[in-house]
Amino acid sequence: VQLQASGGGLVQAGGSLRLSCAASGRTFSNYGMGWFRHTPGKEREFVSAISWSGGRTNYADSVKGRFTISRDNAKNTVYLQMNSLKPEDTAVYYCAAEVDTGWGGDRAFEYGYWGQGTQVTVSS
């Protein structure tokens, strides 16, 4: 499984970005997908997760109401729509795949495959 994240960039506070994560593999529709982020000096932080069908989602409290995760199984892609961005959202964002049960939740160790990361910078 290979994951390619994209869509990061520089945005002003209050702005929006949409991250995409394209996955290889014919069984993407079976994968649970997640987004995590990392800032130097801090631990990797869970952002959001979505089940194989899209019927179950989860968000970190810090992004609830601002971020929306979704997926298009026909395009082997998961998205993270980020609205009302704050400077504290600045981080490298990673997508990850859980290929055994279809749900990874907020636990990074559940995900066996990771993308390369995309930088999101929010200026104040």
Side-chain angles (χ1 to χ4, degrees), residues 16 22 33-34 39-40 47-48 64 77-78 81 84 90 95 106 108 115 119 122 124:
S16 299
M33 299 297 296
T39 302
V47 176
S48 184
K64 278 181 182 176
T77 302
V78 64
Q81 178 66 45
S84 302
T90 295
C95 60
D106 61 358
Q119 175 71 47
V122 184
S124 57

Side-chain angles (χ1 to χ4, degrees), residues 3-68:
L3 304 173
Q4 181 71 39
S6 62
L10 173 64
V11 64
Q12 289 187 333
S16 299
L17 285 173
R18 188 176 81 155
L19 305 184
S20 299
C21 176
S24 65
R26 292 177 292 177
T27 57
F28 173 79
S29 59
N30 294 338
Y31 302 164
M33 299 297 296
W35 287 97
F36 292 77
R37 64 189 182 187
H38 180 251
T39 302
K42 297 183 179 180
E43 293 189 358
R44 181 172 49 189
E45 177 186 16
F46 167 74
V47 176
S48 184
I50 189 167
S51 64
W52 64 276
S53 67
R56 181 181 180 184
T57 58
N58 191 22
Y59 297 91
D61 288 343
S62 58
V63 307
K64 278 181 182 176
R66 301 188 297 121
F67 290 11
T68 303

Side-chain angles (χ1 to χ4, degrees), residues 106-119:
D106 61 358
R107 298 165 294 185
F109 68 84
E110 294 284 0
Y111 295 86
Y113 298 91
W114 293 79
Q116 86 289 359
T118 185
Q119 175 71 47

